[in-house]
Coordinates of all heavy atoms in Angstrom, one line a residue:
E230 N 107.8 177.4 72.8 CA 108.9 177.2 73.6 C 108.7 177.8 75.0 O 109.1 177.3 76.0 CB 110.2 177.8 72.9 CG 110.6 177.0 71.7 CD 111.0 175.6 72.0 OE1 111.5 175.3 73.1 OE2 110.8 174.7 71.2
A240 N 102.8 171.3 86.1 CA 102.6 169.9 86.6 C 102.8 169.9 88.1 O 102.0 169.1 88.8 CB 103.6 169.0 85.9
A292 N 97.5 171.0 79.0 CA 96.6 170.1 79.6 C 97.2 168.8 80.0 O 96.8 168.1 80.9 CB 95.4 169.9 78.7
D321 N 88.1 198.0 71.2 CA 88.9 199.1 71.8 C 88.6 199.3 73.3 O 89.5 199.6 74.1 CB 88.6 200.4 71.1 CG 89.1 200.4 69.7 OD1 90.0 199.6 69.4 OD2 88.7 201.3 68.9
G348 N 70.8 200.4 73.1 CA 71.3 199.1 73.4 C 70.2 198.2 74.0 O 69.0 198.2 73.7
W366 N 86.2 190.8 81.8 CA 85.0 190.9 81.0 C 84.4 189.5 80.8 O 85.1 188.5 81.1 CB 85.4 191.4 79.5 CG 85.8 192.8 79.5 CD1 87.1 193.3 79.7 CD2 85.0 193.9 79.0 NE1 87.1 194.6 79.5 CE2 85.9 195.1 79.1 CE3 83.7 194.1 78.6 CZ2 85.4 196.3 78.8 CZ3 83.3 195.4 78.3 CH2 84.1 196.5 78.3
D377 N 55.1 188.1 72.4 CA 54.5 186.9 73.0 C 55.4 186.2 74.0 O 55.0 185.1 74.5 CB 54.1 185.9 71.9 CG 55.2 185.5 71.1 OD1 56.4 185.9 71.3 OD2 55.0 184.7 70.1
V414 N 73.9 188.9 86.7 CA 73.7 190.3 86.2 C 72.3 190.8 86.5 O 71.3 190.0 86.2 CB 74.0 190.4 84.6 CG1 73.7 191.8 84.1 CG2 75.4 190.0 84.3
L485 N 97.1 137.4 89.5 CA 97.1 136.9 88.1 C 98.4 136.4 87.6 O 98.8 136.7 86.5 CB 96.5 138.0 87.2 CG 95.1 138.4 87.5 CD1 94.7 139.5 86.6 CD2 94.1 137.3 87.5

Side-chain angles (χ1 to χ4, degrees):
E230 291 298 326
D321 292 345
W366 292 80
D377 60 358
V414 175
L485 300 175

